[in-house]
Protein backbone atom coordinates (compact mmCIF):
# COMPACT_ATOMS: atom_id res chain seq x y z
CA UNK A 1 0.00 0.00 0.00
CA UNK A 2 1.16 3.53 -0.81
CA UNK A 3 2.65 5.33 2.16
CA UNK A 4 1.72 9.00 1.90
CA UNK A 5 4.98 10.16 3.50
CA UNK A 6 7.57 7.49 2.64
CA UNK A 7 6.82 7.10 -1.10
CA UNK A 8 8.78 8.85 -3.82
CA UNK A 9 7.01 11.65 -5.70
CA UNK A 10 7.10 9.41 -8.76
CA UNK A 11 5.19 6.63 -7.01
CA UNK A 12 2.61 9.16 -5.79
CA UNK A 13 2.13 10.17 -9.43
CA UNK A 14 1.83 6.47 -10.38
CA UNK A 15 -0.81 5.94 -7.71
CA UNK A 16 -3.27 8.42 -9.17
CA UNK A 17 -6.25 6.51 -10.64
CA UNK A 18 -7.93 7.86 -13.78
CA UNK A 19 -11.09 9.82 -13.02
CA UNK A 20 -10.07 10.29 -9.39
CA UNK A 21 -8.63 13.07 -7.27
CA UNK A 22 -4.91 13.02 -6.50
CA UNK A 23 -3.31 10.94 -3.73
CA UNK A 24 -2.96 12.86 -0.45
CA UNK A 25 0.82 13.26 -0.65
CA UNK A 26 0.53 15.32 -3.83
CA UNK A 27 -1.57 17.88 -1.97
CA UNK A 28 0.08 17.93 1.43
CA UNK A 29 3.80 17.09 1.23
CA UNK A 30 6.32 19.92 1.35
CA UNK A 31 8.71 18.19 -1.10
CA UNK A 32 5.84 18.01 -3.60
CA UNK A 33 5.15 21.67 -2.96
CA UNK A 34 8.79 22.50 -3.78
CA UNK A 35 8.54 20.40 -6.95
CA UNK A 36 5.27 22.14 -7.90
CA UNK A 37 6.87 25.55 -7.46
CA UNK A 38 9.72 24.58 -9.73
CA UNK A 39 7.66 22.78 -12.39
CA UNK A 40 4.55 24.97 -12.58
CA UNK A 41 5.65 28.35 -11.24
CA UNK A 42 9.08 28.48 -12.91
CA UNK A 43 8.86 26.30 -16.01
CA UNK A 44 5.37 27.30 -17.16
CA UNK A 45 3.70 30.62 -18.00
CA UNK A 46 1.90 32.08 -15.01
CA UNK A 47 -0.13 35.23 -14.52
CA UNK A 48 1.36 37.75 -12.05
CA UNK A 49 -0.65 40.91 -12.65
CA UNK A 50 -1.95 43.39 -15.17
CA UNK A 51 -0.61 46.18 -17.35
CA UNK A 52 -3.10 48.43 -15.59
CA UNK A 53 -1.52 47.62 -12.22
CA UNK A 54 1.17 50.09 -13.35
CA UNK A 55 -0.70 52.65 -15.48
CA UNK A 56 1.90 55.49 -15.41
CA UNK A 57 5.68 55.66 -15.97
CA UNK A 58 7.36 54.98 -12.61
CA UNK A 59 4.53 52.78 -11.30
CA UNK A 60 5.89 49.52 -9.94
CA UNK A 61 4.35 46.41 -8.39
CA UNK A 62 6.38 43.72 -6.64
CA UNK A 63 5.00 40.18 -6.74
CA UNK A 64 6.66 37.32 -4.87
CA UNK A 65 6.41 33.80 -6.26
CA UNK A 66 8.10 31.44 -3.82
CA UNK A 67 11.68 32.63 -3.33
CA UNK A 68 11.50 34.69 -6.51
CA UNK A 69 10.55 38.35 -6.28
CA UNK A 70 9.53 40.18 -9.45
CA UNK A 71 9.23 43.88 -10.22
CA UNK A 72 6.51 44.70 -12.74
CA UNK A 73 6.95 48.32 -13.80
CA UNK A 74 6.26 50.91 -16.46
CA UNK A 75 9.44 52.59 -17.66
CA UNK A 76 10.02 56.19 -18.71
CA UNK A 77 8.95 55.37 -22.28
CA UNK A 78 5.67 53.89 -21.07
CA UNK A 79 6.79 50.33 -21.78
CA UNK A 80 6.06 47.43 -19.44
CA UNK A 81 9.09 45.65 -17.96
CA UNK A 82 9.45 42.72 -15.61
CA UNK A 83 12.72 42.36 -13.71
CA UNK A 84 14.14 40.34 -10.86
CA UNK A 85 14.03 42.18 -7.55
CA UNK A 86 17.64 41.25 -6.83
CA UNK A 87 20.43 43.83 -6.67
CA UNK A 88 23.42 43.00 -8.89
CA UNK A 89 25.82 43.95 -6.07
CA UNK A 90 25.14 41.60 -3.17
CA UNK A 91 21.60 40.58 -3.90
CA UNK A 92 19.52 42.79 -1.64
CA UNK A 93 15.84 43.23 -2.45
CA UNK A 94 15.35 46.63 -4.09
CA UNK A 95 11.64 47.09 -3.41
CA UNK A 96 9.21 45.65 -0.88
CA UNK A 97 6.16 43.60 -1.97
CA UNK A 98 3.17 45.69 -3.10
CA UNK A 99 2.73 48.78 -5.26
CA UNK A 100 4.91 51.88 -5.25
CA UNK A 101 6.04 54.80 -7.43
CA UNK A 102 9.73 55.19 -8.32
CA UNK A 103 11.83 57.49 -10.49
CA UNK A 104 14.83 55.14 -10.25
CA UNK A 105 15.41 51.85 -8.48
CA UNK A 106 17.78 52.61 -5.61
CA UNK A 107 19.10 49.68 -3.60
CA UNK A 108 18.64 50.50 0.10
CA UNK A 109 21.85 48.63 1.02
CA UNK A 110 24.72 50.49 -0.72
CA UNK A 111 22.70 52.76 -3.05
CA UNK A 112 23.49 51.13 -6.37
CA UNK A 113 20.96 52.86 -8.60
CA UNK A 114 19.17 51.47 -11.63
CA UNK A 115 17.19 53.24 -14.35
CA UNK A 116 13.62 52.02 -14.95
CA UNK A 117 15.06 50.19 -17.97
CA UNK A 118 17.08 48.09 -15.50
CA UNK A 119 20.44 49.64 -16.45
CA UNK A 120 22.82 50.32 -13.60
CA UNK A 121 23.55 54.06 -13.61
CA UNK A 122 25.29 54.64 -10.27
CA UNK A 123 27.60 52.42 -8.21
CA UNK A 124 29.99 54.41 -6.01
CA UNK A 125 33.51 53.35 -4.99
CA UNK A 126 33.73 50.43 -7.40
CA UNK A 127 36.98 51.47 -9.10
CA UNK A 128 37.92 52.47 -12.64
CA UNK A 129 37.75 49.00 -14.12
CA UNK A 130 34.20 48.35 -12.92
CA UNK A 131 31.87 47.74 -15.87
CA UNK A 132 28.34 48.95 -15.14
CA UNK A 133 27.13 47.73 -18.53
CA UNK A 134 27.03 44.09 -17.50
CA UNK A 135 25.30 44.73 -14.18
CA UNK A 136 21.78 45.58 -15.35
CA UNK A 137 18.91 44.04 -13.40
CA UNK A 138 18.01 40.65 -14.82
CA UNK A 139 14.94 40.82 -16.99
CA UNK A 140 12.20 38.19 -17.05
CA UNK A 141 10.42 36.74 -20.08
CA UNK A 142 6.88 38.05 -20.10
CA UNK A 143 3.92 38.37 -22.42
CA UNK A 144 0.95 40.65 -22.19
CA UNK A 145 -2.13 38.58 -22.98
CA UNK A 146 -4.54 41.41 -23.80
CA UNK A 147 -3.23 43.27 -20.75
CA UNK A 148 -2.77 40.28 -18.42
CA UNK A 149 0.94 39.86 -17.61
CA UNK A 150 2.20 36.29 -17.91
CA UNK A 151 5.80 35.47 -16.99
CA UNK A 152 7.94 32.39 -17.37
CA UNK A 153 11.14 31.93 -15.37
CA UNK A 154 12.48 29.06 -17.51
CA UNK A 155 15.37 29.43 -19.97
CA UNK A 156 13.14 28.04 -22.71
CA UNK A 157 9.55 29.08 -21.99
CA UNK A 158 6.83 26.87 -23.50
CA UNK A 159 6.04 28.06 -27.01
CA UNK A 160 2.41 27.01 -26.88
CA UNK A 161 1.56 30.27 -25.07
CA UNK A 162 0.88 31.32 -28.69
CA UNK A 163 -2.43 29.40 -28.54
CA UNK A 164 -3.54 31.48 -25.57
CA UNK A 165 -2.55 34.71 -27.31
CA UNK A 166 -4.41 33.65 -30.42
CA UNK A 167 -7.56 32.51 -28.61
CA UNK A 168 -7.89 35.71 -26.62
CA UNK A 169 -6.61 38.58 -28.83
CA UNK A 170 -9.84 39.27 -30.72
CA UNK A 171 -12.11 38.01 -27.94
CA UNK A 172 -10.72 40.32 -25.26
CA UNK A 173 -9.93 43.34 -27.45
CA UNK A 174 -13.24 45.21 -26.85
CA UNK A 175 -12.72 45.08 -23.07
CA UNK A 176 -9.38 46.96 -23.45
CA UNK A 177 -8.04 45.48 -20.21
CA UNK A 178 -4.67 47.15 -20.90
CA UNK A 179 -6.21 50.53 -20.17
CA UNK A 180 -8.70 49.57 -17.49
CA UNK A 181 -8.59 50.81 -13.90
CA UNK A 182 -8.12 48.57 -10.88
CA UNK A 183 -11.09 49.69 -8.77
CA UNK A 184 -10.50 47.25 -5.93
CA UNK A 185 -8.11 44.50 -4.89
CA UNK A 186 -8.42 41.77 -2.28
CA UNK A 187 -5.87 39.26 -0.97
CA UNK A 188 -7.30 36.16 0.67
CA UNK A 189 -5.10 33.38 2.03
CA UNK A 190 -6.79 30.03 1.57
CA UNK A 191 -5.71 27.34 4.01
CA UNK A 192 -5.24 24.71 1.35
CA UNK A 193 -2.96 23.50 -1.40
CA UNK A 194 -2.96 25.50 -4.65
CA UNK A 195 -4.24 22.50 -6.62
CA UNK A 196 -7.33 22.34 -4.40
CA UNK A 197 -7.83 26.07 -5.06
CA UNK A 198 -7.65 25.47 -8.81
CA UNK A 199 -9.85 22.35 -8.68
CA UNK A 200 -12.43 24.22 -6.64
CA UNK A 201 -12.53 26.96 -9.26
CA UNK A 202 -12.88 24.61 -12.22
CA UNK A 203 -16.19 23.10 -11.20
CA UNK A 204 -19.55 24.55 -10.29
CA UNK A 205 -20.80 21.28 -8.78
CA UNK A 206 -20.53 23.06 -5.43
CA UNK A 207 -22.12 26.35 -6.54
CA UNK A 208 -25.81 25.84 -5.81
CA UNK A 209 -25.08 24.62 -2.26
CA UNK A 210 -22.49 27.30 -1.46
CA UNK A 211 -22.71 30.44 -3.59
CA UNK A 212 -26.15 32.11 -3.27
CA UNK A 213 -24.73 35.47 -4.46
CA UNK A 214 -22.95 34.06 -7.52
CA UNK A 215 -25.91 31.89 -8.51
CA UNK A 216 -28.06 34.97 -9.21
CA UNK A 217 -25.97 35.63 -12.33
CA UNK A 218 -24.06 32.37 -12.91
CA UNK A 219 -25.61 29.24 -14.36
CA UNK A 220 -24.25 26.34 -12.32
CA UNK A 221 -25.25 23.83 -15.01
CA UNK A 222 -22.80 25.45 -17.44
CA UNK A 223 -20.00 23.09 -16.52
CA UNK A 224 -22.01 19.89 -16.90
CA UNK A 225 -24.89 17.97 -15.32
CA UNK A 226 -26.28 14.44 -15.24
CA UNK A 227 -29.69 14.55 -16.93
CA UNK A 228 -30.69 11.33 -15.15
CA UNK A 229 -30.56 12.95 -11.72
CA UNK A 230 -32.66 15.98 -12.66
CA UNK A 231 -36.42 16.10 -12.14
CA UNK A 232 -38.40 16.18 -15.41
CA UNK A 233 -38.98 19.94 -14.92
CA UNK A 234 -35.30 20.64 -14.23
CA UNK A 235 -34.27 18.48 -17.16
CA UNK A 236 -36.61 20.38 -19.47
CA UNK A 237 -35.13 23.64 -18.13
CA UNK A 238 -31.56 22.39 -18.63
CA UNK A 239 -32.33 21.37 -22.20
CA UNK A 240 -33.90 24.74 -22.87
CA UNK A 241 -30.75 26.36 -21.48
CA UNK A 242 -28.51 24.34 -23.81
CA UNK A 243 -30.65 25.34 -26.79
CA UNK A 244 -30.42 28.97 -25.68
CA UNK A 245 -26.60 28.63 -25.56
CA UNK A 246 -26.43 27.39 -29.10
CA UNK A 247 -28.61 30.29 -30.24
CA UNK A 248 -26.83 33.00 -28.21
CA UNK A 249 -23.38 31.78 -29.24
CA UNK A 250 -24.45 31.82 -32.90
CA UNK A 251 -25.90 35.32 -32.53
CA UNK A 252 -22.91 36.73 -30.62
CA UNK A 253 -20.49 35.32 -33.17
CA UNK A 254 -22.62 36.67 -36.03
CA UNK A 255 -22.33 40.09 -34.36
CA UNK A 256 -18.54 39.76 -34.40
CA UNK A 257 -17.88 38.63 -30.82
CA UNK A 258 -15.92 35.36 -30.59
CA UNK A 259 -17.85 33.23 -28.08
CA UNK A 260 -17.47 29.49 -28.67
CA UNK A 261 -15.42 27.51 -26.17
CA UNK A 262 -11.69 27.18 -26.86
CA UNK A 263 -9.85 24.89 -24.52
CA UNK A 264 -6.45 23.28 -24.13
CA UNK A 265 -6.68 21.48 -20.83
CA UNK A 266 -4.59 18.34 -21.35
CA UNK A 267 -1.81 17.29 -23.76
CA UNK A 268 -0.34 20.78 -23.67
CA UNK A 269 2.11 22.82 -21.65
CA UNK A 270 0.08 26.02 -21.27
CA UNK A 271 -3.42 25.08 -20.20
CA UNK A 272 -6.40 27.40 -20.56
CA UNK A 273 -10.09 27.55 -21.35
CA UNK A 274 -12.25 30.40 -22.55
CA UNK A 275 -15.92 30.70 -23.48
CA UNK A 276 -18.54 33.41 -23.51
CA UNK A 277 -21.09 32.37 -20.89
CA UNK A 278 -24.69 33.43 -20.53
CA UNK A 279 -25.43 35.57 -17.47
CA UNK A 280 -28.73 34.65 -15.79
CA UNK A 281 -31.51 36.91 -14.61
CA UNK A 282 -31.05 40.49 -15.77
CA UNK A 283 -28.17 39.11 -17.83
CA UNK A 284 -25.67 41.96 -17.58
CA UNK A 285 -23.08 41.35 -14.90
CA UNK A 286 -22.02 39.34 -11.83
CA UNK A 287 -23.67 41.63 -9.29
CA UNK A 288 -26.34 41.02 -6.64
CA UNK A 289 -29.15 41.66 -9.15
CA UNK A 290 -27.24 40.78 -12.34
CA UNK A 291 -27.47 44.36 -13.64
CA UNK A 292 -24.32 46.32 -14.54
CA UNK A 293 -22.40 47.84 -11.60
CA UNK A 294 -20.75 50.48 -13.77
CA UNK A 295 -22.54 52.80 -16.17
CA UNK A 296 -19.30 53.36 -18.06
CA UNK A 297 -18.68 50.13 -19.92
CA UNK A 298 -15.22 48.64 -20.33
CA UNK A 299 -13.06 49.62 -23.31
CA UNK A 300 -15.07 50.01 -26.48
CA UNK A 301 -17.99 47.90 -25.26
CA UNK A 302 -21.36 49.35 -26.17
CA UNK A 303 -23.55 46.43 -25.08
CA UNK A 304 -24.36 44.96 -21.69
CA UNK A 305 -25.81 41.77 -23.16
CA UNK A 306 -22.57 40.11 -24.22
CA UNK A 307 -22.45 37.73 -21.27
CA UNK A 308 -19.37 36.76 -19.30
CA UNK A 309 -16.21 35.84 -21.18
CA UNK A 310 -14.50 33.49 -18.78
CA UNK A 311 -10.82 32.58 -19.02
CA UNK A 312 -8.84 30.10 -16.93
CA UNK A 313 -5.07 29.96 -16.99
CA UNK A 314 -2.67 27.75 -15.06
CA UNK A 315 -2.89 29.97 -11.97
CA UNK A 316 -5.75 32.33 -12.71
CA UNK A 317 -9.40 32.76 -13.52
CA UNK A 318 -11.09 35.75 -15.07
CA UNK A 319 -14.55 37.02 -15.93
CA UNK A 320 -14.87 39.80 -18.52
CA UNK A 321 -18.28 41.44 -18.66
CA UNK A 322 -19.63 44.56 -20.33
CA UNK A 323 -19.23 46.82 -17.32
CA UNK A 324 -16.38 45.25 -15.36
CA UNK A 325 -13.93 42.40 -15.14
CA UNK A 326 -12.79 40.21 -12.28
CA UNK A 327 -9.25 38.81 -12.41
CA UNK A 328 -8.05 36.27 -9.84
CA UNK A 329 -4.41 35.21 -9.52
CA UNK A 330 -3.32 32.19 -7.49
CA UNK A 331 0.07 32.26 -5.74
CA UNK A 332 1.02 29.24 -3.63
CA UNK A 333 2.64 30.15 -0.29
CA UNK A 334 3.24 26.69 1.19
CA UNK A 335 1.80 23.18 0.79
CA UNK A 336 -1.23 24.27 2.82
CA UNK A 337 -1.51 28.01 2.11
CA UNK A 338 -2.46 29.74 -1.11
CA UNK A 339 -2.87 33.41 -1.84
CA UNK A 340 -5.86 34.32 -4.01
CA UNK A 341 -5.43 37.88 -5.28
CA UNK A 342 -8.61 39.26 -6.86
CA UNK A 343 -8.85 42.51 -8.84
CA UNK A 344 -12.00 44.27 -10.00
CA UNK A 345 -11.51 46.32 -13.17
CA UNK A 346 -13.63 49.13 -14.60
CA UNK A 347 -13.21 51.65 -17.43
CA UNK A 348 -10.24 53.92 -16.65
CA UNK A 349 -12.47 57.01 -16.56
CA UNK A 350 -15.17 55.45 -14.38
CA UNK A 351 -15.49 57.33 -11.10
CA UNK A 352 -16.47 55.60 -7.86
CA UNK A 353 -19.79 56.85 -6.50
CA UNK A 354 -20.60 58.49 -9.85
CA UNK A 355 -20.30 55.76 -12.48
CA UNK A 356 -20.16 52.74 -10.19
CA UNK A 357 -20.95 51.69 -6.68
CA UNK A 358 -18.03 49.82 -5.12
CA UNK A 359 -20.23 47.65 -2.90
CA UNK A 360 -22.33 46.52 -5.85
CA UNK A 361 -19.21 45.95 -7.94
CA UNK A 362 -17.40 43.75 -5.42
CA UNK A 363 -20.26 42.07 -3.54
CA UNK A 364 -20.55 38.82 -5.48
CA UNK A 365 -16.88 37.87 -5.79
CA UNK A 366 -15.95 39.02 -2.28
CA UNK A 367 -18.64 36.69 -0.94
CA UNK A 368 -17.78 33.90 -3.39
CA UNK A 369 -14.05 34.11 -2.62
CA UNK A 370 -14.70 33.89 1.10
CA UNK A 371 -17.00 30.90 0.60
CA UNK A 372 -14.43 29.22 -1.65
CA UNK A 373 -11.67 29.83 0.92
CA UNK A 374 -13.78 27.97 3.47
CA UNK A 375 -14.42 25.08 1.04
CA UNK A 376 -10.72 24.77 0.16
CA UNK A 377 -9.74 24.75 3.86
CA UNK A 378 -12.29 22.00 4.56
CA UNK A 379 -11.07 20.03 1.62
CA UNK A 380 -7.40 20.37 2.61
CA UNK A 381 -8.12 19.36 6.21
CA UNK A 382 -9.90 16.23 4.97
CA UNK A 383 -7.09 15.35 2.56
CA UNK A 384 -4.61 15.59 5.46
CA UNK A 385 -6.65 13.08 7.46
CA UNK A 386 -5.15 9.56 7.21
CA UNK A 387 -8.69 8.32 6.44
CA UNK A 388 -8.67 10.20 3.09
CA UNK A 389 -8.93 8.06 -0.03
CA UNK A 390 -9.11 9.90 -3.40
CA UNK A 391 -12.71 9.76 -4.58
CA UNK A 392 -14.14 9.77 -8.10
CA UNK A 393 -14.79 13.03 -9.95
CA UNK A 394 -18.32 13.49 -11.29
CA UNK A 395 -18.21 12.39 -14.95
CA UNK A 396 -20.66 15.21 -15.71
CA UNK A 397 -19.68 18.14 -13.49
CA UNK A 398 -15.99 17.53 -12.82
CA UNK A 399 -14.54 16.43 -16.14
CA UNK A 400 -12.34 19.53 -16.12
CA UNK A 401 -10.83 18.41 -12.81
CA UNK A 402 -9.98 15.05 -14.27
CA UNK A 403 -8.25 16.91 -17.11
CA UNK A 404 -6.43 19.13 -14.61
CA UNK A 405 -5.18 16.15 -12.58
CA UNK A 406 -4.11 14.37 -15.79
CA UNK A 407 -2.31 17.51 -17.02
CA UNK A 408 -0.63 17.90 -13.61
CA UNK A 409 0.71 14.32 -13.68
CA UNK A 410 1.85 14.67 -17.31
CA UNK A 411 3.69 17.92 -16.66
CA UNK A 412 5.40 16.52 -13.54
CA UNK A 413 6.52 13.52 -15.61
CA UNK A 414 7.76 15.79 -18.40
CA UNK A 415 9.95 17.54 -15.84
CA UNK A 416 11.58 14.37 -14.59
CA UNK A 417 9.37 13.22 -11.72
S1 LIG B 1 23.34 44.96 -2.27
FE1 LIG B 1 22.47 46.52 -3.46
S2 LIG B 1 23.89 48.09 -3.40
FE2 LIG B 1 24.80 46.52 -2.23
FE1 LIG C 1 -16.77 28.26 -5.70
Amino acid sequence: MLNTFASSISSLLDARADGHALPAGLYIRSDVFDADMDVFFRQHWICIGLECDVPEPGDAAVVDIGKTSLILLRDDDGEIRVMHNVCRHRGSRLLDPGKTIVSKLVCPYHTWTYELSGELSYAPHMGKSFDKECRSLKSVAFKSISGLIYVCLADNPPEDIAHLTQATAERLAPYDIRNAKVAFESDVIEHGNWKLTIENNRECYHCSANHPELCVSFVDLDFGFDPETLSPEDRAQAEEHLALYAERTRQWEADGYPSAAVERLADCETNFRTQRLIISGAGESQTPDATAASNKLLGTMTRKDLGDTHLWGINSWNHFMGDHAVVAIVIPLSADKTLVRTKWLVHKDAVEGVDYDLEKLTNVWLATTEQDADLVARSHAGVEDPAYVPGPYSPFSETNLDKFATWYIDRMRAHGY
Side-chain angles (χ1 to χ4, degrees), residues 56-68:
E56 302 292 333
D59 286 343
V62 172
V63 181
D64 289 354
I65 311 283
K67 296 243 186 294
T68 296

PDB file of all heavy atoms in Angstrom, residues 56-68:
ATOM      1  N   GLU A  56       1.071  54.336 -15.034  1.00  0.00           N
ATOM      2  CA  GLU A  56       1.900  55.493 -15.412  1.00  0.00           C
ATOM      3  C   GLU A  56       3.385  55.154 -15.327  1.00  0.00           C
ATOM      4  O   GLU A  56       3.776  54.318 -14.505  1.00  0.00           O
ATOM      5  CB  GLU A  56       1.645  56.656 -14.433  1.00  0.00           C
ATOM      6  CG  GLU A  56       0.215  57.130 -14.351  1.00  0.00           C
ATOM      7  CD  GLU A  56      -0.250  57.810 -15.630  1.00  0.00           C
ATOM      8  OE1 GLU A  56       0.622  58.354 -16.346  1.00  0.00           O
ATOM      9  OE2 GLU A  56      -1.456  57.781 -15.898  1.00  0.00           O
ATOM     10  N   PRO A  57       4.234  55.860 -16.119  1.00  0.00           N
ATOM     11  CA  PRO A  57       5.685  55.658 -15.974  1.00  0.00           C
ATOM     12  C   PRO A  57       6.096  55.837 -14.504  1.00  0.00           C
ATOM     13  O   PRO A  57       5.645  56.769 -13.846  1.00  0.00           O
ATOM     14  CB  PRO A  57       6.287  56.759 -16.856  1.00  0.00           C
ATOM     15  CG  PRO A  57       5.251  56.995 -17.896  1.00  0.00           C
ATOM     16  CD  PRO A  57       3.928  56.822 -17.190  1.00  0.00           C
ATOM     17  N   GLY A  58       6.915  54.911 -14.010  1.00  0.00           N
ATOM     18  CA  GLY A  58       7.355  54.984 -12.614  1.00  0.00           C
ATOM     19  C   GLY A  58       6.501  54.143 -11.670  1.00  0.00           C
ATOM     20  O   GLY A  58       6.875  53.931 -10.519  1.00  0.00           O
ATOM     21  N   ASP A  59       5.345  53.675 -12.140  1.00  0.00           N
ATOM     22  CA  ASP A  59       4.533  52.783 -11.296  1.00  0.00           C
ATOM     23  C   ASP A  59       5.192  51.407 -11.269  1.00  0.00           C
ATOM     24  O   ASP A  59       5.602  50.890 -12.318  1.00  0.00           O
ATOM     25  CB  ASP A  59       3.113  52.637 -11.861  1.00  0.00           C
ATOM     26  CG  ASP A  59       2.275  53.885 -11.631  1.00  0.00           C
ATOM     27  OD1 ASP A  59       2.661  54.703 -10.776  1.00  0.00           O
ATOM     28  OD2 ASP A  59       1.244  54.036 -12.315  1.00  0.00           O
ATOM     29  N   ALA A  60       5.280  50.838 -10.081  1.00  0.00           N
ATOM     30  CA  ALA A  60       5.889  49.516  -9.944  1.00  0.00           C
ATOM     31  C   ALA A  60       5.056  48.654  -9.003  1.00  0.00           C
ATOM     32  O   ALA A  60       4.425  49.169  -8.073  1.00  0.00           O
ATOM     33  CB  ALA A  60       7.310  49.641  -9.403  1.00  0.00           C
ATOM     34  N   ALA A  61       5.043  47.361  -9.270  1.00  0.00           N
ATOM     35  CA  ALA A  61       4.346  46.406  -8.392  1.00  0.00           C
ATOM     36  C   ALA A  61       5.279  45.220  -8.189  1.00  0.00           C
ATOM     37  O   ALA A  61       5.797  44.668  -9.161  1.00  0.00           O
ATOM     38  CB  ALA A  61       3.032  45.957  -9.032  1.00  0.00           C
ATOM     39  N   VAL A  62       5.505  44.863  -6.945  1.00  0.00           N
ATOM     40  CA  VAL A  62       6.378  43.720  -6.642  1.00  0.00           C
ATOM     41  C   VAL A  62       5.506  42.519  -6.287  1.00  0.00           C
ATOM     42  O   VAL A  62       4.613  42.612  -5.449  1.00  0.00           O
ATOM     43  CB  VAL A  62       7.336  44.055  -5.482  1.00  0.00           C
ATOM     44  CG1 VAL A  62       8.096  42.813  -5.029  1.00  0.00           C
ATOM     45  CG2 VAL A  62       8.308  45.141  -5.922  1.00  0.00           C
ATOM     46  N   VAL A  63       5.761  41.414  -6.971  1.00  0.00           N
ATOM     47  CA  VAL A  63       4.999  40.185  -6.742  1.00  0.00           C
ATOM     48  C   VAL A  63       5.992  39.068  -6.406  1.00  0.00           C
ATOM     49  O   VAL A  63       6.928  38.830  -7.168  1.00  0.00           O
ATOM     50  CB  VAL A  63       4.191  39.802  -8.010  1.00  0.00           C
ATOM     51  CG1 VAL A  63       3.386  38.532  -7.769  1.00  0.00           C
ATOM     52  CG2 VAL A  63       3.275  40.938  -8.439  1.00  0.00           C
ATOM     53  N   ASP A  64       5.778  38.423  -5.279  1.00  0.00           N
ATOM     54  CA  ASP A  64       6.661  37.322  -4.870  1.00  0.00           C
ATOM     55  C   ASP A  64       6.040  35.981  -5.239  1.00  0.00           C
ATOM     56  O   ASP A  64       4.877  35.722  -4.914  1.00  0.00           O
ATOM     57  CB  ASP A  64       6.905  37.368  -3.356  1.00  0.00           C
ATOM     58  CG  ASP A  64       7.796  38.544  -2.957  1.00  0.00           C
ATOM     59  OD1 ASP A  64       8.308  39.235  -3.860  1.00  0.00           O
ATOM     60  OD2 ASP A  64       7.970  38.758  -1.736  1.00  0.00           O
ATOM     61  N   ILE A  65       6.838  35.158  -5.900  1.00  0.00           N
ATOM     62  CA  ILE A  65       6.405  33.800  -6.261  1.00  0.00           C
ATOM     63  C   ILE A  65       7.435  32.857  -5.641  1.00  0.00           C
ATOM     64  O   ILE A  65       8.537  32.709  -6.170  1.00  0.00           O
ATOM     65  CB  ILE A  65       6.415  33.585  -7.796  1.00  0.00           C
ATOM     66  CG1 ILE A  65       5.703  34.719  -8.548  1.00  0.00           C
ATOM     67  CG2 ILE A  65       5.881  32.215  -8.171  1.00  0.00           C
ATOM     68  CD1 ILE A  65       4.216  34.663  -8.518  1.00  0.00           C
ATOM     69  N   GLY A  66       7.110  32.242  -4.532  1.00  0.00           N
ATOM     70  CA  GLY A  66       8.103  31.436  -3.822  1.00  0.00           C
ATOM     71  C   GLY A  66       9.273  32.315  -3.416  1.00  0.00           C
ATOM     72  O   GLY A  66       9.100  33.413  -2.885  1.00  0.00           O
ATOM     73  N   LYS A  67      10.488  31.846  -3.700  1.00  0.00           N
ATOM     74  CA  LYS A  67      11.678  32.633  -3.328  1.00  0.00           C
ATOM     75  C   LYS A  67      11.994  33.718  -4.353  1.00  0.00           C
ATOM     76  O   LYS A  67      12.913  34.520  -4.166  1.00  0.00           O
ATOM     77  CB  LYS A  67      12.886  31.700  -3.215  1.00  0.00           C
ATOM     78  CG  LYS A  67      12.774  30.660  -2.109  1.00  0.00           C
ATOM     79  CD  LYS A  67      13.854  30.863  -1.071  1.00  0.00           C
ATOM     80  CE  LYS A  67      13.879  29.779  -0.021  1.00  0.00           C
ATOM     81  NZ  LYS A  67      12.661  29.770   0.815  1.00  0.00           N
ATOM     82  N   THR A  68      11.253  33.718  -5.450  1.00  0.00           N
ATOM     83  CA  THR A  68      11.497  34.694  -6.511  1.00  0.00           C
ATOM     84  C   THR A  68      10.651  35.939  -6.283  1.00  0.00           C
ATOM     85  O   THR A  68       9.452  35.838  -6.015  1.00  0.00           O
ATOM     86  CB  THR A  68      11.140  34.070  -7.879  1.00  0.00           C
ATOM     87  OG1 THR A  68      12.028  32.975  -8.102  1.00  0.00           O
ATOM     88  CG2 THR A  68      11.270  35.064  -9.001  1.00  0.00           C
TER      89      THR A  68
END
